[in-house]
Amino acid sequence: MFRVVLILAAGLAAMLPAHAQERVRVVASFSILGDFVRNVGGDRVDIATLVGPGGDVHVYTPSPIDAKKVADARLLVVNGLGLEGWLPRLVQSSGSKATVVTATKGITPRDADEDDAHAGGGHAHDHGDGHADPHAWQSVANAKTYVGNIRDALIAADPAGEATYRANAGAYLAKLDALDRDVREAAAKIPESKRKVISTHDAFGYFAAAYRIVFIAPQGVSTESEASARDVAKIITQIRKDKVPAVFLENVTDPRLMQRISAETGAKIGGTLYSDSLTPENGDAPTYIDMVRHNIRTLTGALSG
């Protein structure tokens, strides 16, 4: 009888769902990466995010709770390209033995200096990786590279879950393909003469290159430094000269700068774009796909008229 009970218990254990087994503890540096990990990892991962919804990853100050999260993690998923300047010190102080996964591995970084010169922004900030623009997720094609890197890292950390990770990643990549097609179609409907917008900081360079919309920003690729009076004056001149139809607020920056530029030029405020952070569940952009769809809807709504 005792042997039968043991066999039954073993059989039940084999049938238990992944979340009843020990999950892989993963820490993502900010909300967009957290969403990618959730989509690939599903029930096999226990995901914690350092910079949560609405937070600004550029200027984040880690807390003692963050050090505990990093110390307990098996995988630490980071963007790289100098985005998380505060992270190396946090990892060192936490004593973490986590495997660090750089989600942008294999992506050719955009040169922020070059793009600033082209856009007339004249503003670039060193992130510690030369002048690489870290916002690579703004191109959906790049987001697919992020997902592939996260899938491979999860398989290496948890080989038993390989079939799950491959299936989840495959289903999510198909959604990203559909998203990319939809964004291209929507952008193509904006008249060529109206494909110029002003956003607060230079977060949309990869989006601009992928979907042929010109973004001009008074702040550089980081939100750490404020735009100078000279930069703002240059932007105002450019809006008047090029008849830029709309300026856009961002969810991680102070709206007053854009409100001032709008008031001085007559360019309307076209809405809020989500750049570096998702929103809480009840917001416009609780997931990456929601964020990209919201941004293209907001842009086409303001520019197609």
Side-chain angles (χ1 to χ4, degrees):
M1 179 70 185
F2 184 59
R3 201 162 147 238
V4 172
V5 171
L6 276 177
I7 290 165
L8 278 170
L12 281 169
M15 289 162 61
L16 281 173
H19 56 76
Q21 299 163 15
E22 194 176 343
R23 297 184 187 194
V24 181
R25 286 188 171 178
V26 184
V27 169
S29 60
F30 70 116
S31 57
I32 292 166
L33 291 184
D35 186 49
F36 291 153
V37 174
R38 252 179 229 105
N39 276 283
V40 180
D43 284 344
R44 295 191 74 93
V45 302
D46 181 6
I47 173 76
T49 303
L50 299 177
V51 186
D56 184 352
V57 65
H58 294 286
V59 294
Y60 187 67
T61 305
S63 68
I65 294 165
D66 293 329
K68 174 86 173 76
K69 285 179 189 171
V70 172
D72 292 344
R74 258 178 75 197
L75 289 181
L76 175 59
V77 181
V78 305
N79 187 78
L81 302 181
L83 179 70
E84 305 101 335
W86 43 269
L87 195 62
R89 195 179 297 165
L90 173 65
V91 173
Q92 193 179 4
S93 67
S94 73
S96 176
K97 300 285 186 286
T99 301
V100 177
V101 181
T102 303
T104 53
K105 184 181 160 199
I107 291 171
T108 303
R110 169 185 161 267
D111 186 321
D113 273 352
E114 211 174 279
D115 254 67
D116 279 338
H118 169 70
H123 219 120
H125 294 273
D126 191 345
H127 270 70
D129 257 23
H131 285 289
D133 176 354
H135 305 88
W137 62 85
Q138 287 292 350
S139 144
V140 179
N142 284 346
K144 289 169 65 182
T145 301
Y146 279 65
V147 170
N149 286 331
I150 289 165
R151 175 200 61 212
D152 295 348
L154 285 170
I155 289 169
D158 176 26
E162 178 168 358
T164 301
Y165 299 135
R166 288 200 184 281
N168 289 350
Y172 188 57
L173 288 167
K175 287 182 187 173
L176 292 180
D177 279 332
L179 176 67
D180 194 36
R181 276 195 305 276
D182 291 349
V183 175
R184 281 179 199 286
E185 280 170 25
K189 289 176 185 158
I190 302 170
E192 286 281 346
S193 62
K194 293 193 170 180
R195 288 189 195 179
K196 241 178 206 174
V197 302
I198 310 289
S199 64
T200 316
H201 89 292
D202 189 10
F204 294 97
Y206 294 93
F207 187 98
Y211 307 113
R212 296 182 49 238
I213 296 171
V214 176
F215 281 77
I216 302 149
Q219 273 181 293
V221 292
S222 174
T223 56
E224 285 172 270
S225 309
E226 289 192 11
S228 69
R230 188 168 150 266
D231 289 327
V232 174
K234 246 163 99 176
I235 293 278
I236 287 169
T237 303
Q238 190 160 5
I239 292 172
R240 289 179 176 147
K241 182 169 77 69
D242 295 345
K243 298 184 171 55
V244 174
V247 300
F248 291 86
L249 308 176
E250 278 177 50
N251 64 322
V252 297
T253 53
D254 188 330
R256 286 174 297 187
L257 173 62
M258 286 295 123
Q259 286 160 351
R260 189 182 128 209
I261 290 172
S262 169
E264 287 197 31
T265 60
K268 67 180 174 182
I269 290 181
T272 297
L273 299 177
Y274 294 94
S275 54
D276 299 8
S277 170
L278 302 178
T279 64
E281 277 301 313
N282 59 355
D284 292 323
T287 71
Y288 174 77
I289 289 175
D290 290 331
M291 176 187 90
V292 177
R293 287 199 185 282
H294 168 89
N295 285 349
I296 192 63
R297 250 195 333 265
T298 302
L299 287 164
T300 52
L303 303 179
S304 295

